[in-house]
Amino acid sequence: MTNEVAVWGDKEKTNWLTEQVIQRSYLDEVVSKLDGFKNIFNISQYGALSYAPKKYPLFIVINLNFDTSKKNILITGGVHGYETSGVHGALSFLEKEVDNYIDQFNIMVAPCVSPWGYETINRWNPNTIDPNRSFFKDGRSEECNLLMQEIAAMKIDMFAHIDLHETTDTDNSVFRPALEKRDGVTQELWDIPDGFYLVGDTENPSFDFQKAMIDAVRKVTHIAPADKNGKIIGKTITQEGVINYPIKKLNLCAGFSNAIYCSTTEVYPDSPKIKYDDCVKAQVAAIKGGLDYLLSKYS
Ligand SMILES: [Zn+2]
């Protein structure tokens, strides 16, 4: 996946880009909220996307009382900008829950890694690159490179990293067909699972950590059932609501930080069973479930 060879040339990519429409404002809906956290967080700008730096400054919030003796937690949202509850789940965690954890952990939150994707409701960046396949050195996603550089410059060991995502109906109706066209490769199709699930790391599955997150989310929304073959999105589940990917090999966001505990959340916003608010609550519940597990095990 790292060596995708696009059959689209510059012309096709430009055509695709001209079809994309700004549908909401990153500055209004995300950046404007960060000021509200400055009593306990340093709001740190780690760069700006070169194609529109004024529109897309990038921020990570880091607790002011950073203590090198504490374990470091990274939360990322909006790596896929269209996955709205990832962005607003990260903000909601900061707003409503972070007080319960800030004494025990250093907490870093990058709420919207791909803001152009947020504004245009897109999986890719403007260069038709999927950021969540691009967390590798000197990769082609500026969104990823800037975040990786920022975290590397901190010279800290990451204890846990939770990356907030959604799996949407448009994955099958819009984004997978576009990927097929870009690369000229037929994509495996699977049913979009109705419910919440997690993607852990095949190399470091952290079974109990994942279970704690699922158990916390279950109180807020339903967990995705496996299909008749025991799979979710084509992968055999390892426990209820959990599949594992080789996340480092795939250059997924949850892998770049080398955290001891890592997980990718996947909320299903198109379910007839839930409202949008439940998606945000599910993201927050997942973070809390993970952090509560770490506190019970290590404090
Ligand atoms: Zn995603």
Side-chain angles (χ1 to χ4, degrees):
M1 286 222 196
T2 58
N3 298 313
E4 297 159 339
V5 179
V7 296
W8 275 4
D10 289 346
K11 183 164 158 277
E12 290 85 357
K13 290 180 183 177
T14 303
N15 287 346
W16 174 84
L17 182 58
T18 57
E19 289 166 5
Q20 308 312 312
V21 178
I22 301 286
Q23 302 183 53
R24 52 189 180 184
S25 168
Y26 164 68
L27 293 177
D28 288 350
E29 295 180 16
V30 181
V31 175
S32 69
K33 294 191 175 166
L34 299 179
D35 250 9
F37 308 126
K38 66 184 178 192
N39 54 334
I40 47 174
F41 283 94
N42 179 28
I43 316 299
S44 174
Q45 185 178 345
Y46 61 91
L49 296 174
S50 61
Y51 45 84
K54 287 214 172 76
K55 281 186 77 177
Y56 303 126
L58 301 166
F59 293 96
I60 185 165
V61 303
I62 305 169
N63 53 292
L64 285 169
N65 59 338
F66 196 92
D67 180 342
T68 52
S69 70
K70 291 178 184 168
K71 292 181 165 59
N72 302 308
I73 309 293
L74 176 62
I75 312 290
T76 43
V79 171
H80 286 143
Y82 71 111
E83 295 169 5
T84 307
S85 72
V87 176
H88 291 282
L91 293 172
S92 182
F93 172 72
L94 286 169
E95 198 182 325
K96 296 180 176 155
E97 295 292 345
V98 80
D99 286 353
N100 297 322
Y101 300 98
I102 206 76
D103 292 337
Q104 294 98 329
F105 297 115
N106 294 316
I107 295 184
M108 287 143 264
V109 180
C112 190
V113 174
S114 184
W116 181 86
Y118 180 83
E119 290 198 334
T120 60
I121 313 193
N122 252 301
R123 184 173 178 89
W124 292 341
N125 74 5
N127 302 314
T128 74
I129 299 293
D130 183 338
N132 208 30
R133 297 293 183 279
S134 305
F135 280 88
F136 57 98
K137 195 169 170 2
D138 302 325
R140 292 159 298 168
S141 164
E142 193 178 15
E143 295 82 357
C144 305
N145 295 344
L146 290 166
L147 181 61
M148 286 191 293
Q149 285 161 17
E150 175 70 7
I151 299 297
M154 294 176 77
K155 296 193 177 357
I156 55 173
D157 293 327
M158 209 59 80
F159 189 60
H161 179 181
I162 301 172
D163 186 33
L164 309 177
H165 284 252
E166 295 178 348
T167 302
T168 66
D169 286 347
T170 51
D171 287 346
N172 270 357
S173 62
V174 177
F175 299 119
R176 194 162 289 114
L179 180 63
E180 288 191 347
K181 286 187 206 152
R182 187 195 69 182
D183 295 348
V185 175
T186 305
Q187 296 292 312
E188 193 185 342
L189 257 191
W190 46 69
D191 290 338
I192 301 296
D194 183 352
F196 180 94
Y197 66 98
L198 292 171
V199 182
D201 183 4
T202 310
E203 313 296 325
N204 177 24
S206 308
F207 188 97
D208 293 342
F209 177 64
Q210 311 286 353
K211 182 176 188 309
M213 296 173 79
I214 290 289
D215 287 343
V217 172
R218 199 197 316 278
K219 294 173 189 153
V220 177
T221 188
H222 57 292
I223 306 303
D227 65 17
K228 62 182 186 318
N229 300 314
K231 295 181 176 183
I232 291 175
I233 62 163
K235 276 274 178 191
T236 301
I237 61 168
T238 58
Q239 60 179 308
E240 185 187 7
V242 180
I243 57 171
N244 290 327
Y245 271 5
I247 59 168
K248 289 203 168 88
K249 202 193 283 180
L250 293 173
N251 302 308
L252 303 189
C253 180
F256 89 86
S257 54
N258 293 314
I260 296 168
Y261 292 92
C262 65
S263 192
T264 303
T265 68
E266 296 286 351
V267 163
Y268 179 51
D270 301 315
S271 174
K273 297 180 190 166
I274 61 170
K275 297 194 173 72
Y276 173 70
D277 273 2
D278 298 323
C279 299
V280 173
K281 285 178 188 162
Q283 302 284 15
V284 175
I287 300 169
K288 282 170 59 71
L291 297 185
D292 288 343
Y293 168 79
L294 297 176
L295 285 175
S296 71
K297 190 169 161 79
Y298 290 97
S299 63

